[in-house]
Amino acid sequence: MNVKPDFNKNANQAATAPAFLSVWDLHAYYGESYIVQGVSFNVHEGEILALLGRNGAGKTSTLRAIARLDDPMVTHGEIWLDHQHLHTMKSHEASVAGMSLVPEDRRIIAGLTVEENLQLAQIVEPVGWSLERLYELFPRLGERRKQEGVTLSGGEQQMLAIARALARDIKVLLLDEPYEGLAPVIVDEIEKTLMHIKEQGITTVIVEQNAVRALELADRAVILDTGQIVFDGTAAEVLENESLRAEYLAI
């Protein structure tokens, strides 16, 4: 049963604390295809949530709907971020409110250097982390600051995409398949970075086909199947439940 977010209740346990990001009864379509079918979940401030499921389960569509992108088309539901109702906002307004999506294809801008990609993100207020702080977090980007962004390796481009998100003053980082095509050693680096971001109080929602790596990183997990939630609990519960993993994650 879906429970509408309550921002006024006061509790000591994190599991029952007021949500920072709340998705309530979300429905969305791609054309005639009913992709997201009444999805509801809460994420607490500073948590890492793994949004998992098989291909076609509705993960990316849910992520894009939260970011208020035009596709998929949301027909019903509410999205709340830190007491702000994002479901009435356009994507650029949601971005200003603190929502940032790093898409699967990273969207590095051709013709611009690493530094220019970061500076472009800082043109629109509010500005987030400084270039110096970003280069401290991503030393490789500092070394390649004058190199054209699209000529970086896949792992370095993913670092740039995350750094570009942090160049804005964000509250929630949405990551769509951040490990795709990357060597395990690069995934290790990115995970260390995501833990550092968590320590700064930023909330993260990660969609990732490498479910085991995502679960080892995350605090909590939501599993989708054909556009509906079939599990909402701790990441440890999923790692310990072999039948759940086999049925919905094929691992």
Side-chain angles (χ1 to χ4, degrees):
M1 180 176 67
N2 292 337
V3 179
K4 196 165 185 176
D6 181 357
F7 294 102
N8 297 314
K9 64 184 178 180
N10 188 11
N12 293 323
Q13 293 184 346
T16 57
F20 187 66
L21 170 66
S22 253
V23 177
W24 162 247
D25 198 22
L26 191 66
H27 298 255
Y29 288 76
Y30 275 110
E32 299 296 319
S33 299
Y34 187 17
I35 304 297
V36 182
Q37 305 180 18
V39 167
S40 299
F41 61 86
N42 294 325
V43 191
H44 302 293
E45 188 170 10
E47 272 191 331
I48 298 178
L49 175 77
L51 186 59
L52 305 174
R54 296 175 184 267
N55 287 335
K59 307 180 300 297
T60 292
S61 297
T62 299
L63 213 62
R64 291 178 66 83
I66 294 170
R68 304 299 299 132
L69 298 179
D70 291 336
D71 60 323
M73 182 178 68
V74 175
T75 59
H76 182 78
E78 299 179 11
I79 304 163
W80 294 83
L81 172 59
D82 194 17
H83 300 77
Q84 300 177 82
H85 42 86
L86 267 63
H87 47 278
T88 61
M89 295 183 182
K90 300 294 185 183
S91 60
H92 69 279
E93 295 171 325
S95 178
V96 171
M99 189 71 70
S100 186
L101 170 66
V102 176
E104 183 179 357
D105 60 4
R106 299 164 189 153
R107 302 285 175 89
I108 305 303
I109 301 175
L112 298 184
T113 66
V114 166
E115 192 153 295
E116 288 167 342
N117 267 274
L118 296 175
Q119 289 172 330
L120 187 62
Q122 294 181 322
I123 289 176
V124 181
E125 297 290 344
V127 174
W129 293 16
S130 67
L131 291 178
E132 290 73 19
R133 189 179 179 191
L134 292 171
Y135 291 147
E136 183 178 345
L137 183 63
F138 297 101
R140 293 192 190 195
L141 298 184
E143 295 166 3
R144 293 159 174 76
R145 67 180 70 190
K146 300 304 180 184
Q147 184 174 333
E148 187 177 356
V150 294
T151 67
L152 298 176
S153 69
E156 290 164 350
Q157 286 192 33
Q158 188 63 65
M159 294 175 190
L160 177 55
I162 295 172
R164 187 176 56 189
L166 295 172
R168 299 288 309 280
D169 185 20
I170 67 169
K171 298 177 181 178
V172 175
L173 178 64
L174 307 174
L175 296 170
D176 192 7
E177 304 287 358
Y179 304 159
E180 184 178 22
L182 303 184
V185 65
I186 301 300
V187 173
D188 290 343
E189 285 189 45
I190 290 175
E191 286 185 339
K192 289 178 183 177
T193 300
L194 295 178
M195 287 304 299
H196 180 77
I197 292 170
K198 172 184 169 68
E199 291 167 0
Q200 308 309 304
I202 294 174
T203 303
T204 301
V205 180
I206 178 171
V207 165
E208 178 52 56
Q209 283 298 321
N210 190 338
V212 172
R213 293 297 297 253
L215 288 165
E216 290 173 344
L217 175 73
D219 302 294
R220 291 181 46 252
V222 166
I223 299 177
L224 296 179
D225 184 53
T226 60
Q228 298 179 327
I229 290 179
V230 294
F231 176 86
D232 184 343
T234 68
E237 287 178 284
V238 183
L239 287 170
E240 294 166 1
N241 191 325
E242 184 176 347
S243 62
L244 180 70
R245 297 197 315 272
E247 183 172 1
Y248 295 111
L249 303 176
I251 56 173

